[in-house]
Structures are given as structure tokens and as C-alpha cells.
Amino acid sequence: MTKIEPLGAVRERVTSELRRQIIAGSLLPGDRLVERELAERFGVSRVPVREAIRALVAEGFVHFETPRRTVVRRLTPTDVKELFELREALEVYAAGLAASRATPEDLAQVQELIARAAAATEAGDAELITDLNSRLHDRIVAMAGNSLLTEALEPVAGRLRWMTRRNEEWPQLLVEHRELYEAIASGDPDRARAHALTHVRTNYRSTMRHLFGDEEAP
């Protein structure tokens, strides 16, 4: 007998794949999402596609231009500014906590992620670099040992990954992540916060450049 995939699993599969395509740039800002076409592409009914689109609207990846027209969202400078302000507030604080709470096992996991990111950078694998860099930041937040910090960042994690995917200054990011690791590993919260602040602000300026050309970050 053919196993029937539960509706929830189908919805999550479609949502995850559309999210991945948006972050990777296969679906570009302004591209239209048509239920019928997506249902045919995924080989599913229109119901899970409709629910997936609603989930992506809630996550900030797509929006309804009209009741009948759904498109991938076009990011604005204000979108970037607001998300990076949130990231600065939370990730800098998390880095300070991580410096005082990280275990040897935590630090070893970060080292492994950096090593894998170095290999991916050498290979020019943009999608893997994005994934590893995001996991590194998630790991640092987890090292802070504060579940509310994790919950506060979770709703915007996908959009941050989407934005930073446009920043392809991979060797510079690798240098910054190594410096941030060393600061956290030193056990000095002030040093960790300082490096995290510099990293977030540098990434903000780079992201603005890559998204909006020569427009300067406010």
C-alpha cells in the first residue's frame, strides 16, 4: 500500500522548500507564488500550498500585493535596519553570557562549525556557508543559556538568513567569526560583547551594500 503523507508533513515540506528557495535566491523579490502552479510542481493539492504561503507571510518572506496576488517580499532599508537593531540587542547580549557560561563542549562545537565554514568558503559553496554561519550564531545564542533569548530570535531567524545570504564577503565573515570565537573562549564577557557588536554592525553595512548598492547604512 502507498503510504499517505499527513497534511501537516506536506505543508511543512512545501514551506521548507519555498523558504529555502527564497533564501538561496531561486525565488527572487517580486516573484509571484501561484497556488495552482506550486501544487503541480510539488505534486500536492492546493490546500498545503495555501497554508505554506500563509506561513511564509507570517515569517515575513512573502506578502499579498492584492487578495489574489502573492509575491516574494521586496526588502527595504528599513526592514534591514530594524532586523539588525534587534540582532544587535540580542546577539551582543548573548555573546557576553556565552563567554561566562560556555563549556569546553560548547566551544568545541563552535570550532567545528568554523572549520567546516572555512572549507565551504574555500570551495565557494554559498548555500553551505550560509547554513553553517547561521548555525554558528544559533550555537552562540544557545550557549548563553537563556531560553527567552532563543525564543526572541526564532521568529526572525529565517529573514536574517535571507538578508545575510546576499552578503558574499565570505572570507571576511570567516575572520570575524574566528575573532568572535576567541573572544568568547577567553571567558571575558566585555571582550565578547565588543567583538559581537563590531561583527553585527559590519555585517549590517555589508548587507546594505549588497542589497541596495552604494546606499549607505543609516
Side-chain angles (χ1 to χ4, degrees), residues 79-211:
D79 292 328
V80 179
K81 180 175 182 289
E82 291 179 348
L83 277 167
F84 271 86
E85 285 175 344
L86 178 63
R87 182 180 172 190
E88 180 177 310
L90 299 181
E91 288 195 9
V92 171
Y93 182 58
L97 291 178
S100 61
R101 296 176 179 177
T103 66
E105 292 76 15
D106 289 330
L107 296 174
Q109 289 177 8
V110 174
Q111 279 187 308
E112 180 183 355
L113 288 170
I114 291 175
R116 293 178 61 191
T121 299
E122 182 69 23
D125 189 334
E127 191 165 349
L128 181 56
I129 293 168
T130 301
D131 179 61
L132 291 169
N133 286 346
S134 296
R135 287 169 61 187
L136 183 146
H137 281 281
D138 291 344
R139 185 68 241 156
I140 291 172
V141 172
M143 286 159 55
N146 187 313
S147 61
L148 291 179
L149 272 176
T150 303
E151 291 174 9
L153 278 166
E154 186 174 358
V156 298
R159 271 182 288 170
L160 282 171
R161 179 179 293 202
W162 183 23
M163 289 182 186
T164 55
R165 171 64 181 82
R166 309 276 76 78
N167 173 9
E168 297 185 354
E169 297 176 11
W170 307 127
Q172 177 60 30
L173 281 173
L174 184 61
V175 169
E176 292 173 21
H177 284 159
R178 283 172 170 158
E179 292 175 347
L180 179 57
Y181 164 77
E182 293 293 340
I184 291 172
S186 74
D188 183 341
D190 289 336
R191 179 182 170 189
R193 284 191 291 267
H195 276 277
L197 180 61
T198 298
H199 173 54
V200 171
R201 289 183 175 176
T202 299
N203 194 222
Y204 169 52
R205 290 191 293 270
S206 298
T207 301
M208 289 288 288
R209 264 197 317 275
H210 284 270
L211 283 173

Side-chain angles (χ1 to χ4, degrees), residues 20-38:
R20 187 197 67 77
Q21 290 181 16
I22 292 170
I23 291 173
S26 301
L27 286 171
L28 297 172
D31 282 355
R32 188 178 179 188
L33 302 182
V34 180
E35 284 184 16
R36 174 180 48 79
E37 294 176 358
L38 292 173

